[in-house]
Amino acid sequence: MHSFEGLEHALSLERFGRYLQWAGGDRTRALELYLYNTRVSEAFYTPLQMLEVALRNRIHDVLSARYGEFWFDEPRVLVGADMRKRIDEARTTLSRMRRPETPGRLVAALTFGFWTGLFGSDYETLWQRALYAIAQRDNGKGLRRKDFSAPIGKVRDLRNRIAHHEPILHEPLGERYASIVQLTRWLVPAGAQWCETYSVLPQVLAGAPTLVVEVKPAEPLDRGV
């Protein structure tokens, strides 16, 4: 017989309690669900990595062409003190690491929350002027800002839950994976093809265990990550 006391203490009773609830109180099944949550979170790394890197590089390329490679210092681009703060934090990070500041390094140091923040309603004008060029539909037609902002907001929340090692089994994981691939395809078709070729997520999702008790989704975590 396995002892779960040490594990429950390490995970915190509150965290492990969610898996117990999903497992209908069965501790063995709860541990299996916890292990599966870890596996599926790990499997999301490949498509999430491709989307995040493709997104920031496409935005950087398009805005550099319009405003120069230091576009983030252009007053007409960023809206609000929070976005400026994120730029300052990225610069502080590079300085602390004693790395010379270059546009490429600064772009890599910015969080996913920064990039997805560029799709908020405050950036409709920027979308119309320049950002629309980062992506196009499979048929070559253009996209609206909202076509991007709605799905990427849900992907961001999932990504943040994974980054904080939170449970994600209550999420529509198949839908989220499809959104990630679609967004990537709009940005860089070859990136989506790479995901579909090398991601093990579909196989992991195919082996998903059934939750005994359905639980409402948790509140989204901080979107700034």
Side-chain angles (χ1 to χ4, degrees), residues 198-211:
Y198 294 108
S199 176
V200 299
L201 186 56
Q203 295 94 309
V204 175
L205 292 178
T210 302
L211 305 184

Side-chain angles (χ1 to χ4, degrees), residues 49-65 69 71 103-112 114-115 118-119 131 133-135 187-188:
Q49 178 196 52
M50 177 56 69
L51 173 60
E52 184 165 352
V53 173
L55 180 67
R56 74 191 189 196
N57 287 339
R58 285 296 299 138
I59 292 175
H60 180 53
D61 288 346
V62 166
L63 294 185
S64 292
E69 61 180 358
W71 54 266
R105 287 196 178 104
L106 191 59
V107 163
L110 289 165
T111 66
F112 193 50
F114 173 87
W115 300 110
L118 292 174
F119 297 99
L131 276 182
I134 67 170
L187 292 163
V188 184

Side-chain angles (χ1 to χ4, degrees), residues 65-110:
R66 179 65 185 260
Y67 300 104
E69 61 180 358
F70 286 92
W71 54 266
F72 33 80
D73 289 328
E74 168 58 53
R76 294 174 296 172
V77 174
L78 298 181
V79 177
D82 182 64
M83 296 294 269
R84 296 280 354 141
K85 179 181 178 182
R86 293 173 189 268
I87 296 291
D88 293 340
E89 289 172 346
R91 284 190 158 117
T92 299
T93 297
L94 292 178
S95 177
R96 187 183 305 118
M97 296 171 65
R98 298 183 179 179
R99 303 187 68 182
E101 182 185 312
T102 64
R105 287 196 178 104
L106 191 59
V107 163
L110 289 165

Side-chain angles (χ1 to χ4, degrees), residues 21-24 169-171 209-217:
Q21 185 177 5
W22 283 340
L169 300 186
H170 54 280
E171 298 276 354
T210 302
L211 305 184
V212 175
V213 179
E214 294 294 335
V215 180
K216 292 182 179 180

